[in-house]
Amino acid sequence: MSKFKTTELSDPRFEANNLRHITVKSKHLKHRGDISVYVPPGENLSDLPIVILLHGVYGSHWIWSQKTGIHLKMNAWIENGDIRHMIVAMPSDGLWGDGSAYLPHENSDFEKWIVEDVPNAVIELIPQASNASKLCIAGLSMGGFGALRLGIKYHDKFSGVSGLSSITVVDEMALFVEEEITSYNQTEKENESVIATILKHRENLPPFRFDCGKDDELIEGNRTLHQQLNDLNIPHIYKENPGKHEWIYWETHIKETIVFFNEILKQ
């Protein structure tokens, strides 16, 4: 029995480059949500791991594929033997304002949309996925905030976590959105910063990494998080690269995240 009132899946006759499209009615959003899904080619593929890839402000489900060609890159990396077969699920954030920050809001729970509805939709509609599929989560900017926070908060679900050019505290949303920053205030204060989430779940942290461009406006927040983690002796991977807060950076460095997940999934 479906977990959703309504579901729609693109017809394979009209799909291209192993990219599929899902729309479901989400009980957490209280409206429909969209997911683009890269499904690797191959026969008899089952129980494939699922990487949930989150977008930043202003974006939606299509933006990773149409700004970085991630689906084409995945094909090439798999064919070259760089990584194993894996599914990449790219949901919208729920399309609230300039960006929901993947947080619970008064009328829609954008957090539960990602951690419950998205994997459930992929498992239900994509035959190569199943309840045995391992989950990893990553994202850029606002999506990095979402990935780091949700991957650590729901450590029982996620095997690996990665953030690129991540917002690290919710107040940094003010750099990008026109909505009042108070719109993102949370009852659970751990939701408002990555370090607070990490401290609450310190005894159960999944492997996680994050990186940022040296000329990115979010670099100081990333450096602060790295230093806080070092001071607390919390294992993590942090890397700085040349680059700004722009698509060429994410297109260039997303492979490091996928390879990181691949190594975790080998274990």
Side-chain angles (χ1 to χ4, degrees), residues 8-22 35 37-39 71 125-128:
E8 291 287 353
L9 176 65
S10 53
D11 190 318
R13 292 179 300 158
F14 310 118
E15 295 165 354
N17 300 314
N18 308 108
L19 200 59
R20 313 203 71 188
H21 302 283
I22 292 170
I35 313 165
V37 188
Y38 164 76
V39 184
H71 53 310
L125 296 171
I126 304 298
Q128 293 88 338

Side-chain angles (χ1 to χ4, degrees), residues 244-256:
K244 301 177 182 178
H245 203 78
E246 57 188 1
W247 280 102
I248 189 62
Y249 179 90
W250 305 315
E251 180 181 351
T252 301
H253 293 287
I254 185 58
K255 187 176 183 181
E256 295 161 40

Side-chain angles (χ1 to χ4, degrees), residues 3 12 15 21 48 71-72 81-82 87 100 132 141 154 169 179 189 205 212 224 227 231 247:
K3 294 180 185 290
E15 295 165 354
H21 302 283
L48 292 184
H71 53 310
L72 304 177
D82 296 336
I87 293 164
S100 69
S141 190
Y154 296 91
V169 294
E179 285 74 29
K189 290 303 175 183
L205 297 176
C212 194
T224 296
Q227 187 60 54
D231 292 344
W247 280 102

Side-chain angles (χ1 to χ4, degrees), residues 25 28 71 106 123 139 189 240:
K25 188 171 185 184
H28 296 300
H71 53 310
E106 184 177 358
I123 289 166
K189 290 303 175 183
E240 293 184 7

Side-chain angles (χ1 to χ4, degrees), residues 21-37:
H21 302 283
I22 292 170
T23 299
V24 296
K25 188 171 185 184
S26 160
K27 64 182 179 181
H28 296 300
L29 295 179
K30 299 183 175 62
H31 55 74
R32 289 164 294 145
D34 291 323
I35 313 165
S36 290
V37 188

Side-chain angles (χ1 to χ4, degrees), residues 204-219:
N204 297 287
L205 297 176
F208 70 99
R209 70 174 300 283
F210 56 108
D211 62 68
C212 194
K214 293 178 182 178
D215 295 316
D216 193 308
E217 55 260 64
L218 297 175
I219 188 64

Side-chain angles (χ1 to χ4, degrees), residues 211-244:
D211 62 68
C212 194
K214 293 178 182 178
D215 295 316
D216 193 308
E217 55 260 64
L218 297 175
I219 188 64
E220 292 307 323
N222 280 260
R223 286 172 175 165
T224 296
L225 177 60
H226 172 53
Q227 187 60 54
Q228 289 170 322
L229 294 170
N230 279 346
D231 292 344
L232 293 164
N233 294 314
I234 293 176
H236 66 287
I237 296 170
Y238 174 63
K239 185 178 179 186
E240 293 184 7
N241 303 297
K244 301 177 182 178

Side-chain angles (χ1 to χ4, degrees), residues 19-264:
L19 200 59
R20 313 203 71 188
H21 302 283
I22 292 170
T23 299
V24 296
K25 188 171 185 184
S26 160
K27 64 182 179 181
H28 296 300
L29 295 179
K30 299 183 175 62
H31 55 74
R32 289 164 294 145
D34 291 323
I35 313 165
S36 290
V37 188
Y38 164 76
V39 184
E43 306 253 336
N44 303 314
L45 297 175
S46 61
D47 304 330
L48 292 184
I50 302 166
V51 174
I52 297 176
L53 197 52
L54 305 181
H55 64 78
V57 292
Y58 323 134
S60 190
H61 66 100
W62 58 267
I63 208 160
W64 267 105
S65 65
Q66 304 306 305
K67 288 281 197 176
T68 74
I70 185 64
H71 53 310
L72 304 177
K73 289 177 168 55
M74 291 294 294
N75 266 350
W77 299 334
I78 291 169
E79 288 174 7
N80 291 340
D82 296 336
I83 60 170
R84 62 173 295 173
H85 288 77
M86 58 182 83
I87 293 164
V88 180
M90 297 163 278
S92 79
D93 70 320
L95 302 182
W96 182 90
D98 283 326
S100 69
Y102 304 97
L103 289 164
H105 288 227
E106 184 177 358
N107 296 315
S108 295
D109 193 333
F110 302 103
E111 174 175 307
K112 292 289 182 64
W113 154 244
I114 297 300
V115 300
E116 293 185 13
D117 292 336
V118 170
N120 283 339
V122 174
I123 289 166
E124 183 173 317
L125 296 171
I126 304 298
Q128 293 88 338
S130 77
N131 287 319
S133 295
K134 300 252 187 200
L135 293 176
C136 295
I137 188 166
L140 66 87
S141 190
M142 177 185 77
F145 176 73
L148 290 169
R149 197 180 65 76
L150 298 178
I152 288 163
K153 183 174 181 178
Y154 296 91
H155 48 80
D156 56 326
K157 288 179 176 283
F158 294 103
S159 299
V161 181
S162 180
L164 292 80
S165 313
S166 302
I167 285 173
T168 56
V169 294
V170 75
D171 285 352
E172 289 175 328
M173 287 290 291
L175 295 170
F176 304 100
V177 304
E178 68 176 3
E179 285 74 29
E180 291 292 332
I181 196 64
T182 54
S183 303
Y184 299 95
N185 287 353
Q186 295 288 296
T187 303
E188 295 180 45
K189 290 303 175 183
E190 66 156 300
N191 289 345
E192 294 185 359
S193 82
V194 172
I195 190 64
T197 304
I198 289 170
L199 289 174
K200 181 166 183 179
H201 302 279
R202 183 172 180 173
E203 301 306 313
N204 297 287
L205 297 176
F208 70 99
R209 70 174 300 283
F210 56 108
D211 62 68
C212 194
K214 293 178 182 178
D215 295 316
D216 193 308
E217 55 260 64
L218 297 175
I219 188 64
E220 292 307 323
N222 280 260
R223 286 172 175 165
T224 296
L225 177 60
H226 172 53
Q227 187 60 54
Q228 289 170 322
L229 294 170
N230 279 346
D231 292 344
L232 293 164
N233 294 314
I234 293 176
H236 66 287
I237 296 170
Y238 174 63
K239 185 178 179 186
E240 293 184 7
N241 303 297
K244 301 177 182 178
H245 203 78
E246 57 188 1
W247 280 102
I248 189 62
Y249 179 90
W250 305 315
E251 180 181 351
T252 301
H253 293 287
I254 185 58
K255 187 176 183 181
E256 295 161 40
T257 285
I258 300 299
V259 170
F260 173 68
F261 292 156
N262 191 67
E263 292 303 309
I264 291 169

